[in-house]
């Protein structure tokens, strides 16, 4: 095995945030794709409630509808209008931000006092920023244009010139380590001995999995393996600049005498895979490697060097930050829960035992030219015809953690109504789908719980899970006609 665990591109981040506070070892995103995930962070809602289903305008990513309905209710908007905060944003907002059909770069979302947002998706050079609604173009000169460093400098400027009479909230959203993985020049030779992790699920066939996983070519070609190892290495290289950004911010907060009364959160919008089940690179799948993210938090009242195993999700970030600001969470429509009691070490806390994961697959109506053998409806196809997404890669899961169980139950919205179930205690790499062998009663309960979560909103997203003592299950509610249940649950038209 390669010794990548002792190495990390985020050494300073780990030391300055993780070791000075709390690391969450079970933090999840409800949808492993940039735009739906970022929308969940901003709104504190599951995708079925904010209706952002993919990275396109049609999928509600930064659309007029999103701007009208969701933006006024994001946690930064509440911080600014109700809590008297000055709010600052720098970096990648939503993938379609700045699209002409959605108001262009002049559109500054409600709730931000200072706005430095990247037009559209991830870039490192040759990009345009919206600076409080005015376009500013950047070229490809490292010292003035490398985006991670530009974001660091803009952020330090804000810390030095902001008003000291109001509290502040900053959101710095680096595109790194998103493709095109352009590292800073001084880091382009690093990690030469690092390879993508060779876990047990690396380069094996996804037996008993959804057809999209089963179609991956196994074993992968040498060129695919070189490609994904290279991607892994380049992603790590781009993170070295993010690590520098974190260090600069923490040092400036300390220099300005504000570090001890500032909460700092470090997280990501989705995981990523590099070769697991022979899928070269991407995200959007239901497995741990795509839905699990880092979450490190330091701040007043948080003891150093702690790890929490509590099941948390990115929908909890908004409620947590509003709770810190003293806002009454009952006034919001958020699905998440405040992490503040966990951060402050509350004893005998009743906490959730499950979270929802939901994803609406994206396909293209035309046959992919690189893969004529595969019918229309697939997308994100790599060499060797490994397609990473499809229309019927639409699924929903309950991710459950309790004293006794560490389980994932998923169903697909497709002709075969495919089900995948994993016992992560016995099988952390999710190699064996136990859907056929698990107790049918438990399967029924999980199916019912999934239906409840897929239609939940606000408080109903926080009701007891299957393994909570307070869980109530009425078998009469399981309809004999499965068809009617399913059409109610997966809406084909999100808006």
């Amino acid at each position: 095995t390669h010794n990548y665990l002792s190495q990390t591109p985020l050494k300073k981040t780990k030391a300055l945030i993780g070791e000075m506070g709390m690391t969450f070892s079970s933090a999840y995103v409800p949808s492993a794709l940039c735009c739906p995930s970022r929308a969940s962070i901003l709104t504190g809602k599951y995708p079925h409630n904010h209706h952002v289903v993919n990275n396109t305008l049609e999928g509600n990513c930064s659309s007029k509808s999103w701007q009208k309905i969701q933006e006024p209710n994001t946690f930064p908007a509440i911080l600014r209008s109700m809590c008297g905060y000055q709010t600052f944003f720098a970096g990648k907002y939503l993938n379609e931000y700045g699209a002409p059909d959605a108001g262009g770069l002049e559109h500054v979302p409600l709730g931000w006092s200072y706005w430095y947002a990247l037009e559209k998706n991830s870039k490192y050079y040759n990009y345009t920023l919206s600076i409080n609604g005015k376009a500013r173009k950047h070229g490809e000169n490292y010292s003035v244009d490398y985006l991670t460093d530009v974001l660091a400098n803009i952020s330090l400027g804000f810390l030095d010139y902001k008003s000291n009479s109001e509290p502040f909230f900053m959101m710095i959203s680096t595109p790194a380590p998103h493709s095109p993985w352009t590292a800073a020049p001084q880091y382009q030779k690093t990690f030469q001995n690092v390879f993508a992790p060779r876990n047990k699920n690396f380069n094996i066939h996804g037996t008993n999995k959804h057809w999209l996983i089963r179609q991956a070519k196994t074993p992968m070609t040498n060129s695919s393996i070189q490609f994904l190892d290279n991607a892994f290495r380049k992603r790590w290289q781009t993170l070295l600049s993010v690590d520098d950004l974190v260090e600069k911010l923490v040092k400036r907060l300390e220099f300005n005498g504000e570090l001890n009364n500032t909460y700092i959160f470090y997280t990501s919008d989705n995981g990523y895979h590099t070769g697991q089940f022979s899928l070269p690179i991407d995200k959007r799948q239901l497995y741990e490697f795509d839905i699990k993210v880092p979450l490190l938090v330091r701040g007043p009242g948080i003891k150093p060097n702690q790890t929490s195993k509590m099941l948390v999700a990115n929908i909890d970030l908004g409620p947590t930050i509003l709770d810190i600001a003293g806002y009454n969470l009952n006034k919001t429509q958020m699905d998440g829960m405040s992490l503040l009691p966990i951060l402050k070490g509350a004893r005998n806390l009743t906490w959730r035992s499950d979270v929802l994961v939901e994803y609406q697959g994206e396909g293209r109506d035309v046959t992919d030219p690189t893969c004529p053998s595969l019918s229309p409806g697939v997308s994100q196809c790599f060499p060797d015809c490994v397609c990473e997404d499809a229309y019927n890669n639409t699924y929903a899961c309950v991710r459950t953690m309790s004293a006794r169980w560490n389980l994932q139950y998923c169903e697909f919205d497709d002709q075969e109504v495919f089900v995948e179930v994993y016992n992560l205690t016995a099988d952390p790499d999710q190699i064996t789908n136990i859907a056929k062998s698990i107790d049918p009663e438990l399967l029924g309960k999980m199916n019912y719980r999934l239906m409840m979560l897929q239609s939940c909103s606000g408080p109903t997203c926080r009701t007891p899970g299957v393994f909570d003592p307070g869980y109530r299950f009425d078998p009469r509610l399981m309809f004999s006609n499965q068809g009617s249940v399913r059409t109610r649950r997966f809406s084909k038209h999100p808006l």
Side-chain angles (χ1 to χ4, degrees):
T1 58
H2 298 280
N3 190 13
Y4 56 85
L5 288 175
S6 59
Q7 278 183 290
T8 164
L10 295 164
K11 282 198 168 67
K12 303 177 211 178
T13 303
K14 241 179 107 173
L16 294 170
I17 306 179
E19 287 163 23
M20 295 304 292
M22 186 176 275
T23 299
F24 286 88
S25 58
S26 307
Y28 290 87
V29 294
S31 207
L33 190 59
C34 331
C35 210
S37 184
R38 285 159 186 268
S40 284
I41 292 172
L42 289 161
T43 58
K45 295 177 186 176
Y46 281 124
H48 67 265
N49 289 329
H50 62 57
H51 304 298
V52 178
V53 294
N54 58 38
N55 293 344
T56 65
L57 274 177
E58 301 73 47
N60 202 26
C61 181
S62 215
S63 67
K64 286 274 199 229
S65 160
W66 157 266
Q67 292 170 19
K68 202 167 79 206
I69 300 166
Q70 302 301 339
E71 276 182 352
N73 298 304
T74 61
F75 77 84
I78 298 170
L79 278 179
R80 189 179 178 189
S81 62
M82 310 302 290
C83 311
Y85 272 66
Q86 41 193 332
T87 55
F88 166 97
F89 183 89
K92 175 177 168 180
Y93 179 56
L94 299 171
N95 302 52
E96 283 295 323
Y97 172 74
D101 295 354
L105 294 173
E106 294 84 76
H107 170 70
V108 176
L110 212 65
W112 298 99
S113 343
Y114 300 89
W115 180 252
Y116 301 87
L118 177 66
E119 178 180 29
K120 302 250 176 145
N121 202 356
S122 307
K123 282 192 167 182
Y124 294 78
Y125 292 109
N126 298 314
Y127 53 86
T128 303
L129 292 178
S130 165
I131 309 229
N132 299 317
K134 295 195 172 47
R136 185 170 89 196
K137 280 192 165 36
H138 275 266
E140 48 192 298
N141 174 348
Y142 170 70
S143 60
V144 290
D145 297 317
Y146 187 64
L147 183 57
T148 311
D149 295 350
V150 168
L151 297 178
N153 293 334
I154 293 172
S155 303
L156 295 174
F158 169 75
L159 284 179
D160 288 349
Y161 295 107
K162 66 180 172 56
S163 146
N164 285 331
S165 61
E166 299 168 313
F168 69 95
F169 168 74
M170 303 174 75
M171 186 166 181
I172 304 157
S173 176
T174 65
H178 198 289
S179 63
W181 315 309
T182 314
Q186 70 272 28
Y187 294 140
Q188 286 176 357
K189 298 272 187 290
T190 53
F191 301 126
Q192 291 306 312
N193 60 340
V194 166
F195 299 86
R198 302 312 202 240
N199 291 348
K200 283 187 188 149
N201 54 14
F202 180 81
N203 201 11
I204 64 168
H205 185 254
T207 319
N208 293 329
K209 291 189 165 34
H210 191 230
W211 71 270
L212 188 67
I213 309 293
R214 293 197 304 263
Q215 57 89 34
K217 185 177 174 184
T218 316
M220 293 179 285
T221 57
N222 285 350
S223 59
S224 281
I225 292 177
Q226 259 177 320
F227 176 70
L228 66 87
D229 276 334
N230 186 42
F232 186 86
R233 193 171 299 122
K234 285 180 143 172
R235 286 164 62 82
W236 269 32
Q237 291 169 357
T238 67
L239 285 172
L240 289 169
S241 294
V242 177
D243 205 36
D244 292 342
L245 174 151
V246 170
E247 180 186 44
K248 287 174 198 163
L249 279 166
V250 172
K251 282 191 161 161
R252 188 65 55 96
L253 283 166
E254 188 167 30
F255 182 77
N256 293 354
E258 298 184 306
L259 185 57
N260 291 339
N261 60 0
T262 304
Y263 287 90
I264 308 176
F265 293 75
Y266 179 92
T267 189
S268 174
D269 55 0
N270 48 250
Y272 203 70
H273 55 258
T274 43
Q276 292 94 326
F277 304 127
S278 303
L279 300 168
I281 58 160
D282 200 39
K283 44 220 174 194
R284 319 162 199 264
Q285 309 307 340
L286 55 85
Y287 307 103
E288 293 284 285
F289 43 74
D290 284 359
I291 60 173
K292 207 168 179 174
V293 290
L295 176 58
L296 314 174
V297 193
R298 71 171 283 172
I302 306 175
K303 293 192 177 71
N305 254 321
Q306 296 191 86
T307 300
S308 170
K309 293 191 173 78
M310 293 295 206
L311 182 59
V312 301
N314 68 3
I315 54 172
D316 300 332
L317 296 169
T320 305
I321 291 165
L322 290 175
D323 196 9
I324 288 169
Y327 188 71
N328 176 357
L329 296 176
N330 296 331
K331 293 187 185 161
T332 71
Q333 290 301 300
M334 293 183 178
D335 302 332
M337 304 167 68
S338 169
L339 305 177
L340 196 55
I342 299 179
L343 291 169
K344 293 211 161 170
R347 295 265 160 262
N348 12 341
L349 189 62
T350 51
W351 195 251
R352 68 157 79 86
S353 62
D354 57 16
V355 291
L356 172 69
V357 177
E358 50 185 355
Y359 180 69
Q360 195 161 321
E362 274 185 279
R364 295 176 59 229
D365 290 330
V366 291
T367 299
D368 193 300
T370 56
C371 298
S373 59
L374 288 169
S375 53
V378 293
S379 68
Q380 314 293 321
C381 296
F382 281 91
D384 309 322
C385 277
V386 180
C387 297
E388 293 273 2
D389 210 353
Y391 281 131
N392 68 0
N393 183 40
T394 296
Y395 57 80
C397 309
V398 183
R399 183 71 185 85
T400 290
M401 276 183 201
S402 68
R404 280 189 42 237
W405 286 95
N406 186 356
L407 200 66
Q408 187 176 13
Y409 169 90
C410 302
E411 27 184 280
F412 283 84
D413 182 31
D414 59 7
Q415 292 326 116
E416 46 179 349
V417 190
F418 197 77
V419 175
E420 291 185 33
V421 184
Y422 298 98
N423 173 358
L424 283 103
T425 311
D427 177 25
D429 293 301
Q430 296 173 296
I431 292 166
T432 312
N433 177 5
I434 57 168
K436 299 272 196 293
S437 59
I438 198 165
D439 171 23
E441 190 191 352
L442 179 55
L443 221 49
K445 282 184 177 178
M446 294 300 270
N447 169 279
Y448 176 61
R449 179 66 181 153
L450 183 60
M451 276 171 25
M452 298 295 290
L453 283 174
Q454 275 189 285
S455 55
C456 77
S457 175
T460 54
C461 298
R462 306 189 285 270
T463 52
V466 170
F467 297 106
D468 285 355
Y471 178 76
R472 294 280 168 270
F473 171 63
D474 182 351
R476 285 169 311 188
L477 296 170
M478 302 291 299
F479 304 109
S480 51
N481 173 2
Q482 279 282 284
S484 68
V485 177
R486 212 156 301 281
T487 50
R488 262 227 335 273
R489 285 162 47 202
F490 286 100
S491 70
K492 281 288 175 283
H493 305 287
L495 291 177

